[in-house]
Amino acid sequence: MSLCHSVPVSPCPHVPISLCPPAATGSDEEDDSDASTKPIRSGKKNPVSLFQTGGDPPRERKTRKKVPKAAESEEETLETQQKNSNKKGKGKKSKKKEERPLSPVIEVDNLEKFVLSPAPQGVTIKCRVTRDKRGMDRGLYPTYYLHLDNDKKVFLLAGRKRKKSKTSNYLISIDPTDLSRGGENFIGKLRSNLMGTKFTVFDNGANPDRASADWSNVRQELSAVVYETNVLGFKGPRKMTVIIPGMNSDNERVPIRPRNDNDGLLTRWQNKNMDNIIELHNKAPVWNDETQSYVLNFHGRVTHASVKNFQIVHGSDPDYIVMQFGRVADDAFTMDYNYPLCAVQAFAIALSSFDGKLACE
């Protein structure tokens, strides 16, 4: 049982990520109630140069879509206060319900193209992830659904952990009723290592062992996620590294098609071979003595404390939020992403945060 305890949302402007001070300890079990937030400025810089690596343009057809820009939503924030485990008592409840800024109107004419295309520059794609635990085995293998977070609530993706896999393996589909590996709606997958600390995101291409003669059908690696292990057992914010392919001069993703396990994103990153790949990190929250919590600013998009709350940034511009994810209800989360991520990349990164990691808590 964790030593940390959470307190309900208060009407202030930031959301906590971890309730314990830097030296607090806890168990290795996942504790969903441990997360916080602090104000974060919205960067106005052009992010293109951060992600360009000059790789060869992709050979496949272009999948970029034009999406109308929307007016900037109000940068309202909500602070979830969490007290140190040494202090008892309940926090104050919100006096009034804050409305969450919604996604701009986005047309999704071709779902497969949309979910694999980078977000248009200057547009934040705001989504909602819901977790469905209903059914015989949904407690162990819930289904996750991704919708646009607006009035239309357009369905984008569904994901579910595969049974009988040696490692955590999530299938991602563009059909909420078809989550089979062999189905025509299979769009990608998320696979972990044995420890559950490193994840790789693939598209729906073929395994290199079953590649065609010219390798044109080999799967691409879309992203990798690394959770820093915590062998000392200290409780606190998670530390994430996200590795993605760079973008070429046409603002298209550079294809990364490893022919074996020694040529993937994780191996390249571990060997410091950064050609055509980009390294991102979760934004480090700040310990707030007043609220006794680590805090980040989600600009009104996250309302509940959770260890799963995070923001992904580039080290050269920590004000440009590439992606953010956080809890808004027991089984509901917001997931927002910007250029250069696509929906499949962002959804898979979010799915990795749900997985129980043996040494990361």
Side-chain angles (χ1 to χ4, degrees), residues 8-16 37 77-81 288 291 293 295:
V9 179
S10 81
C12 311
H14 319 131
V15 183
T37 29
T77 54
L78 261 181
E79 180 173 5
T80 305
Q81 291 187 350
N288 185 309
T291 62
S293 60
V295 292

Side-chain angles (χ1 to χ4, degrees), residues 246-267:
M247 308 298 283
N248 63 24
S249 57
D250 292 329
N251 296 322
E252 295 174 325
R253 208 167 30 247
V254 176
I256 303 293
R257 289 193 177 93
R259 299 195 175 194
N260 54 62
D261 291 338
N262 297 320
D263 190 33
L265 288 172
L266 283 172
T267 303

Side-chain angles (χ1 to χ4, degrees), residues 345-357:
Q345 288 172 309
F347 185 49
I349 293 168
L351 287 178
S352 74
S353 75
F354 287 106
D355 204 62
K357 281 158 281 296

Side-chain angles (χ1 to χ4, degrees), residues 205-249:
N207 186 298
D209 295 337
R210 296 184 289 275
S212 59
D214 61 357
W215 293 84
S216 61
N217 67 335
V218 172
R219 65 190 180 195
Q220 290 188 48
E221 289 193 5
L222 300 179
S223 179
V225 187
V226 179
Y227 290 87
E228 184 175 312
T229 56
N230 186 355
V231 294
L232 298 179
F234 291 152
K235 199 75 173 178
R238 291 173 168 178
K239 292 185 179 180
M240 303 167 61
T241 299
V242 175
I243 305 106
I244 59 173
M247 308 298 283
N248 63 24
S249 57

